Amino acid sequence: MDFLVVVRPRDVLPIEQIAMLLQGTRDWFHRHQNSFRAFGTFPGGGGFGVVSVDDNASLHRMMAELPFAPFSDTRIDPFVEGDEGFVIAQEVFATMMQSMQGS
């Protein structure tokens, strides 16, 4: 299963906590590195990942372990690759059109 995960800071943290959290997050990234197809950080804080995991529970555990999680807003969106998404949309649209014509 593929997910786009975007994490943005919610709270301003005391400067003395940031170094420890950054090291913990770097360690977290290295533990989960095989799950990332892409990973990046934002200049103003936070970052994103394209994550591939076997199931929702794996993603849940991974995100629960993120040191910045309690201080961040996290958005997780499942996705399929672009062309596959277009094919699915075309199939759904064609089915909708057929049912509308049959009414």
Side-chain angles (χ1 to χ4, degrees):
M1 301 176 78
D2 295 326
F3 299 90
L4 172 63
V5 178
V6 177
V7 178
R8 295 202 180 264
R10 177 177 354 110
D11 300 318
V12 177
L13 299 173
I15 194 80
E16 59 274 5
Q17 290 182 3
I18 294 175
M20 182 180 64
L21 287 168
L22 282 171
Q23 184 58 53
T25 301
R26 191 172 186 198
D27 295 342
W28 170 88
F29 170 73
H30 289 293
R31 276 195 317 277
H32 297 286
Q33 193 167 357
N34 291 337
S35 297
F36 288 102
R37 293 182 20 205
F39 183 86
T41 59
F42 304 132
F48 73 94
V50 175
V51 179
S52 290
V53 291
D54 293 333
D55 53 40
N56 289 338
S58 297
L59 180 64
H60 185 84
R61 175 174 295 281
M62 180 179 166
M63 296 311 300
E65 294 175 357
L66 177 63
F68 276 104
F71 314 105
S72 302
D73 290 322
T74 302
R75 180 179 174 135
I76 300 173
D77 293 312
F79 71 92
V80 296
E81 296 295 330
D83 197 49
E84 182 180 1
F86 288 132
V87 169
I88 292 168
Q90 287 175 320
E91 290 170 355
V92 169
F93 183 73
T95 302
M96 288 171 50
M97 292 302 295
Q98 286 176 350
S99 68
M100 289 173 63
Q101 291 171 354
S103 301

